[in-house]
């Protein structure tokens, strides 16, 4: 079954409800527990990167804001605010934080500079 469009995505109970339109025009419902939603999103992004999307319009996650934080255990967090108010929390191992910073610095030097905007 191939799904062609997300009809609805909403928090429901302790999980996420997805309603997707299939090629046969039927709407199918999926419920994903909150524990697995982040892992599912990461895996979907990884699999999307493997697709040949040269001729298709690719959808990107375009954050509207960003904030840092840490867990009770001191693990670094990066919260990406998404359109509609949802937040995508990204948790990192403390020892990988310097690698993340180096990668972002490399990206910054590879992209033309524009006026800086401070995200919330």
């Amino acid at each position: 079954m191939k799904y062609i469009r997300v009809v609805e995505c909403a928090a429901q109970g302790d999980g996420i409800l997805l309603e997707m339109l299939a090629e046969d025009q039927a709407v199918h419902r999926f419920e994903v527990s909150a524990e697995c939603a982040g892992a599912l999103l990461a895996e979907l992004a990884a699999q999307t990167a493997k697709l040949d999307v040269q001729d298709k319009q690719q959808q990107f996650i375009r954050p509207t804001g960003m904030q840092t934080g840490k867990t009770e255990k001191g693990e670094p967090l990066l919260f990406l605010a998404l359109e509609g108010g949802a937040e995508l929390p990204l948790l990192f191992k403390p020892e990988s934080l310097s690698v993340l910073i180096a990668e972002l610095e490399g990206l910054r030097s590879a992209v033309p500079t524009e006026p800086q905007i401070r995200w919330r």
Side-chain angles (χ1 to χ4, degrees), residues 45-119:
Q47 293 303 320
T48 299
K50 296 176 185 177
L51 297 176
D52 179 16
V53 292
Q54 297 299 324
D55 297 333
K56 300 176 184 174
Q57 183 178 352
Q58 188 174 13
Q59 293 183 9
F60 293 97
I61 296 174
R62 298 184 191 274
T64 58
M66 179 176 57
Q67 186 175 352
T68 59
K70 62 181 180 176
T71 66
E72 292 176 0
K73 296 179 181 178
E75 299 165 303
L77 283 168
L78 182 62
F79 293 98
L80 300 180
L82 306 178
E83 191 173 312
E87 285 188 336
L88 176 62
L90 302 174
L91 176 67
F92 298 93
K93 293 180 180 179
E95 60 270 16
S96 68
L97 196 54
S98 60
V99 174
L100 174 65
I101 292 168
E103 289 292 324
L104 290 173
E105 288 290 339
L107 179 61
R108 181 169 59 177
S109 66
V111 175
T113 58
E114 294 184 15
Q116 294 200 357
I117 298 172
R118 176 81 176 154
W119 286 5

Side-chain angles (χ1 to χ4, degrees), residues 6-29:
V6 175
V7 175
E8 183 178 353
C9 181
Q12 182 173 343
D14 66 344
I16 307 294
L17 169 69
L18 293 168
E19 290 187 354
M20 300 179 71
L21 181 67
E23 284 182 317
D24 64 1
Q25 300 302 305
V27 175
H28 299 263
R29 293 173 56 110

Side-chain angles (χ1 to χ4, degrees), residues 35-51:
E35 292 85 10
C36 250
L40 177 61
L41 179 62
E43 184 59 28
L44 287 171
Q47 293 303 320
T48 299
K50 296 176 185 177
L51 297 176

